[in-house]
Amino acid sequence: MGRCADSILKETGNSLNIYIHAEKAYKAKHLMERNRVSYDEAVREMERLDKRRASHYKYYTDQVWGLAKNYHLCLDSSLIGIEKCVSVICDIYQSINAG
């Protein structure tokens, strides 16, 4: 788990690479609640973090961060919720390891 794990673990053959994303408003609301900041502050922080993540990913992998083709599974937590993301990931992990 962590930055560039999809690239780093690509050759292991036993990793499940997951990218969880969300709509801007959903992410901002989460940051507002967690950090007790205004919407504008949350958006600025979110944009700063996403820019850092994209730059870091590009530097170490020479790929674009967040492209679905780099992952086995992409989930939109603003659509299905965090709990459902966890449930889907657990179900897929269990089905992969059961076979």
Side-chain angles (χ1 to χ4, degrees):
M1 182 173 139
R3 308 292 172 249
C4 308
D6 61 301
S7 181
I8 294 166
L9 300 174
K10 186 185 306 185
E11 304 302 320
T12 67
N14 65 352
S15 64
L16 178 61
N17 300 322
I18 302 164
Y19 183 77
I20 301 173
H21 60 95
E23 295 293 325
K24 181 179 178 177
Y26 183 86
K27 289 168 53 177
K29 182 177 182 265
H30 178 75
L31 279 174
M32 289 169 60
E33 291 170 359
R34 190 180 80 194
N35 298 348
R36 300 179 200 264
V37 295
S38 70
Y39 178 82
D40 290 338
E41 290 171 305
V43 168
R44 277 195 301 276
E45 178 66 5
M46 181 175 54
E47 289 171 351
R48 184 186 71 78
L49 288 172
D50 285 350
K51 185 176 179 179
R52 268 184 61 199
R53 289 175 179 143
S55 176
H56 179 89
Y57 190 84
K58 176 71 173 167
Y59 180 82
Y60 286 102
T61 68
D62 199 31
Q63 297 184 53
V64 176
W65 176 61
L67 289 182
K69 71 177 188 167
N70 295 331
Y71 303 90
H72 298 116
L73 177 66
C74 295
L75 299 170
D76 183 343
S77 62
S78 59
L79 177 66
I80 64 173
I82 293 170
E83 293 299 320
K84 186 64 175 177
C85 286
V86 172
S87 176
V88 167
I89 293 165
C90 289
D91 288 349
I92 290 173
Y93 179 79
Q94 288 173 351
S95 70
I96 290 171
N97 289 307

